[in-house]
Amino acid sequence: MPSNHGVAYMGTGKVEVQSIDFPKLELREQKRKCHHGVILKVVCTNICGSDQHMVRGRTTAQKGLILGHEITGEVIETGRDVEFIKKGDIVSVPFNIACGRCANCKEGKTGICLNVNPARPGAAYGYVDMGGWVGGQAEYVMIPYADFNLLKFPDRDQAMAKIKDLTLLSDIFPTGYHGAVTAGVGPGATVYIAGAGPVGLACAASCHLLGAAVVIVGDLNKERLAQARRFGCETVDVSLSASIQDQIENILGVPEVDCAVDCVGFEARGCGHNHSKEVPAQVLNSVMEITKAGGAIGIPGLYVTGDPGAVDEAAKVGALSIRIGLGWAKSHTFVTGQCPVMRYHRRLMMAILHDKIKIAKATNVQVISLKGAPKGYVDFDKGAARKYVIDPHGMIKA
C-alpha cells in the first residue's frame, strides 16, 4: 500500500505536511464499509481562501484537521456499488459532499445535503463543522457517493492538457459563476465584484462569460487589482479616500451598478482611511449602497456562525451590523450560502474544454508541490495575486 501525506492545520498560522492514514472505503463514524465510494490518487488540490479563515484562527477548527476541499483526481479503487465511475477515470470532485437521495439533493440543493453531516445541512472535505470528512490536500483521498458526486472528464489526455483550468471546477469557478448568476448578471449588465482574490477573479471572468458590459472589481490589494485589469476588468481601490460610488461614477457615469457580488465575506475591512480596520459588514453594506433599486446581490463570500477572532462579541456568533433597512427599501434580492457545484460544473467544464474561457489565466494559477503547501499558505495570506494549485505527485506539466 502506498504511503499518504496531507496538509494538517496545527493551530493559528500553522500548517504542516504530515504522514496520514491511507484512505479506506469505509465510513468511520458509522463503522461500516463505504460501498458507494472511490479512492482517488490526487492529481491536483488547491488552497482556498476559505481554508485561510481556518488557518488564521477565525473558526472553531480543531488542530490536526487535514485540509482541502478542492480536489481533482484519478480513480484507483471503486466500491462494490459504484456503477458508472471506473478505475483510471480523471474526475473533478465538488467541494459539497452530497448523497443524491435526500429532498435537498433531489431539488439540486447539493450544498445543503441532509444526510452527510450530523451537525447541520451541508458537508465539505477538510473543513470545520462540515461533517468531519478528511480533506484532499493529500496524496490520496476517499470520496463517498461517487456516482452522484464525481464529474468525469471525457478524455484523459485532453483533461491533463487543461488540468490547470479544470482543477478550478471543484470550487472557485462554479462559486464565482454562482455569485454572478444569483446576482442576475447577463448580457449588457454592469456589475461590481467586491474582492479580487481567486473567487472574485473567477466571478469576474464568469461575468464576461455571461455577457456583462462592464465588470468592476474592488479591492485594496494593488497586485490583485492589476490581475483583474489584465483580463479586461475595471477596478476600484477601496483603500483610496474617494468613495466606491465616486469611483464607479468615474467609470460608468453614474454611481451605481445593475448588480453586485460579495466575494470577500466576514473578514472584510473598511474603506478609505478605515481600510486597515476590520469591519465585518463593510462589504454587505457597501454593495447595497451601490446596487440600483431592484437589483440583486450574490453572496458567495463566507460568513460563519462561530468566529473566535471577531472584533466584537456579536460578530463572534455571526451577528453583523447590516443595514437591512437599506436593502429592503431598495427591493434588493440577496442569495447566500454554498455554491451547489453540480448545478454548474458540467457546462463550465465544456466551456473550458472548448476554449470559451481561460479561467487559470484569469486567476493566475501557480502550481506548487505538496511539500511547498505551507509556504503557499503564507504567501496567499500575504495577499499574493495567485491561485495556488498543489500537485502532490508531479503529474502537471509546466
Side-chain angles (χ1 to χ4, degrees):
M1 182 179 292
S3 63
N4 193 22
H5 294 82
V7 180
Y9 167 66
M10 298 305 295
T12 302
K14 185 178 181 182
V15 301
E16 62 183 45
V17 179
Q18 297 182 344
S19 178
I20 62 174
D21 291 339
F22 193 86
K24 298 178 181 178
L25 291 174
E26 63 182 17
L27 299 167
R28 289 184 297 176
E29 297 297 322
Q30 300 174 32
K31 297 179 180 178
R32 64 184 178 92
K33 291 285 188 180
C34 184
H35 294 299
H36 47 69
V38 301
I39 293 174
L40 298 184
K41 177 182 179 180
V42 176
V43 173
C44 43
T45 176
N46 316 327
I47 298 176
C48 180
S50 298
D51 297 322
Q52 287 286 18
H53 294 307
M54 290 186 289
V55 174
R56 291 188 191 114
R58 298 302 298 270
T59 72
T60 56
Q62 299 297 305
K63 292 180 182 179
L65 175 69
I66 303 303
L67 300 166
H69 56 270
E70 300 188 7
I71 308 164
T72 305
E74 177 184 0
V75 178
I76 61 170
E77 183 179 347
T78 62
R80 181 193 66 196
D81 297 339
V82 178
E83 295 185 59
F84 307 111
I85 297 295
K86 306 298 182 186
K87 186 176 178 180
D89 288 346
I90 304 292
V91 295
S92 178
V93 184
F95 78 90
N96 336 95
I97 303 170
C99 73
R101 297 153 168 81
C102 71
N104 282 347
C105 283
K106 289 187 177 186
E107 292 177 1
K109 300 173 183 176
T110 53
I112 45 174
C113 174
L114 301 174
N115 289 332
V116 288
N117 183 352
R120 64 187 189 190
Y125 304 92
Y127 207 84
V128 60
D129 296 331
M130 285 291 167
W133 297 88
V134 176
Q137 286 176 16
E139 294 172 290
Y140 300 90
V141 67
M142 196 278 284
I143 306 299
Y145 303 104
D147 279 330
F148 182 67
N149 281 290
L150 297 180
L151 175 68
K152 176 185 172 181
F153 299 140
D155 180 86
R156 181 189 181 93
D157 291 339
Q158 183 188 36
M160 291 307 298
K162 292 182 177 288
I163 199 68
K164 294 178 187 177
D165 297 279
L166 294 171
T167 187
L168 305 184
L169 289 171
S170 58
D171 183 357
I172 72 159
F173 188 14
T175 293
Y177 189 85
H178 178 65
V181 168
T182 55
V185 177
T190 59
V191 55
Y192 176 76
I193 298 165
V199 170
L201 295 172
C203 182
S206 297
C207 290
H208 287 309
L209 186 65
L210 289 164
V214 183
V215 180
I216 306 170
V217 179
D219 205 301
L220 50 79
N221 182 312
K222 291 176 173 52
E223 185 183 354
R224 288 179 169 182
L225 291 175
Q227 176 63 23
R229 288 192 292 271
R230 288 189 186 102
F231 62 97
C233 300
E234 302 287 344
T235 57
V236 162
D237 186 339
V238 300
S239 71
L240 300 180
S241 58
S243 69
I244 295 174
Q245 293 98 316
D246 287 346
Q247 293 185 65
I248 288 174
E249 187 168 17
N250 286 337
I251 296 167
L252 296 176
V254 293
E256 64 180 15
V257 290
D258 295 324
C259 45
V261 188
D262 172 5
C263 293
V264 176
F266 72 103
E267 286 194 64
R269 297 191 174 274
C271 297
H273 67 278
N274 281 330
H275 73 269
S276 62
K277 179 182 177 183
E278 189 168 308
V279 184
Q282 178 68 57
V283 170
L284 293 172
N285 289 328
S286 294
V287 293
M288 286 189 279
E289 290 172 356
I290 56 93
T291 301
K292 73 176 185 180
I297 298 168
I299 311 174
L302 177 65
Y303 290 87
V304 296
T305 55
D307 176 9
V311 294
D312 56 51
E313 291 302 312
K316 286 182 178 180
V317 293
L320 310 183
S321 298
I322 299 169
R323 293 185 63 196
I324 193 64
L326 175 62
W328 190 93
K330 296 177 77 172
S331 295
H332 284 155
T333 298
F334 302 87
V335 179
T336 67
Q338 290 185 26
C339 165
V341 170
M342 279 190 277
R343 187 178 299 173
Y344 308 110
H345 66 173
R346 181 188 169 275
R347 289 194 176 185
L348 295 179
M349 175 189 73
M350 296 300 287
I352 290 169
L353 294 178
H354 292 278
D355 297 319
K356 297 301 181 184
I357 190 166
K358 303 291 185 182
I359 193 66
K361 184 177 180 180
T363 58
N364 199 20
V365 161
Q366 179 173 330
V367 178
I368 60 176
S369 66
L370 187 65
K371 184 196 242 180
K375 185 178 186 301
Y377 269 94
V378 171
D379 292 344
F380 190 23
D381 193 46
K382 290 178 180 177
R386 302 181 188 93
K387 175 63 173 177
Y388 288 103
V389 171
I390 300 169
D391 177 7
H393 297 279
M395 297 177 69
I396 302 176
K397 294 181 181 179

